[in-house]
Amino acid sequence: PAAAPVTTAAGTRDERSLVCRIAATVEELDAHYALREASFVRNQALFDGSDIDDHDHDPRTMHLVAVCEPTGEVAGAVRCYVRDDGVWFGGRLVVSQAFRASKLKVAPALVRAAEEHVRATGATTFLAYIQCRYAPLFEHIGWVRVGGEVEYAGTPHQLMRPAWSAEVPTPG
């Protein structure tokens, strides 16, 4: 879905909008991976060399991008994958440095798009391990905490789910 143009503090219209979708071209997929590498490998050092794992090679995995129109620049990315038991997970949510202060609200738009795409598969359970510092953002958009904090890649994370999602007793 495209976001409506926003009015800036200076009163001028910002005619940019976002289109969140599954990466449609090799270039969009490359931009998806490049944003993840910049954030999770180089900036945060959560992974050594690459954050790409087996989920990225699963044909069921969705690699979503937020494309800024009219420029076509990829402003953010998120990946959604399904376990063999049918439970979907979101992860690797990233917003380009150039769009982090944008009025386009890239992260919430990507989360909503991820939810829509996962629900369209018929999924009833959607979970994500969120870096604890970002848990309030997810709560603001209607997600709830599941259990306590866990450590992943040396960083505290919180398992969360959107309000519509069923819980699972052993989220794994």
Side-chain angles (χ1 to χ4, degrees):
V6 295
T7 302
T8 66
T12 59
R13 284 185 59 84
D14 183 348
E15 296 298 331
R16 298 178 306 164
S17 64
L18 284 179
V19 177
C20 295
R21 62 176 180 245
I22 294 174
T25 65
V26 171
E27 293 78 16
E28 287 180 357
L29 187 58
D30 288 347
H32 171 101
Y33 285 127
L35 285 174
R36 285 175 36 184
E37 180 183 337
S39 180
F40 303 120
V41 177
R42 293 196 310 266
N43 295 343
Q44 297 182 54
L46 296 176
F47 303 97
D48 186 27
S50 174
D51 76 316
I52 295 173
D53 61 22
D54 290 343
H55 298 299
D56 289 299
H57 302 295
D58 184 330
R60 301 171 298 174
T61 295
M62 294 182 244
H63 295 90
L64 282 79
V65 291
V67 179
C68 180
E69 296 296 349
T71 66
E73 183 177 358
V74 174
V78 66
R79 132 184 124 169
C80 301
Y81 66 90
V82 63
R83 290 191 319 201
D84 289 339
D85 64 0
V87 174
W88 279 86
F89 279 83
R92 306 293 204 271
L93 175 66
V94 60
V95 176
S96 166
Q97 185 70 39
F99 287 88
R100 289 191 185 150
S102 167
K103 293 182 185 314
L104 293 173
K105 301 185 185 312
V106 178
L110 277 167
V111 172
R112 281 189 219 88
E115 287 185 56
E116 290 172 13
H117 282 298
V118 166
R119 286 186 93 172
T121 71
T124 58
T125 306
F126 186 39
L127 304 167
Y129 284 99
I130 310 299
Q131 288 185 35
C132 288
R133 63 185 170 151
Y134 298 119
L137 165 71
F138 279 77
E139 288 175 321
H140 182 73
I141 58 176
W143 283 53
V144 295
R145 293 172 190 250
V146 177
E149 292 181 12
V150 296
E151 187 173 309
Y152 176 73
T155 304
H157 281 69
Q158 174 66 55
L159 184 64
M160 299 186 80
R161 64 177 177 81
W164 59 264
S165 173
E167 288 191 58
V168 292
T170 54

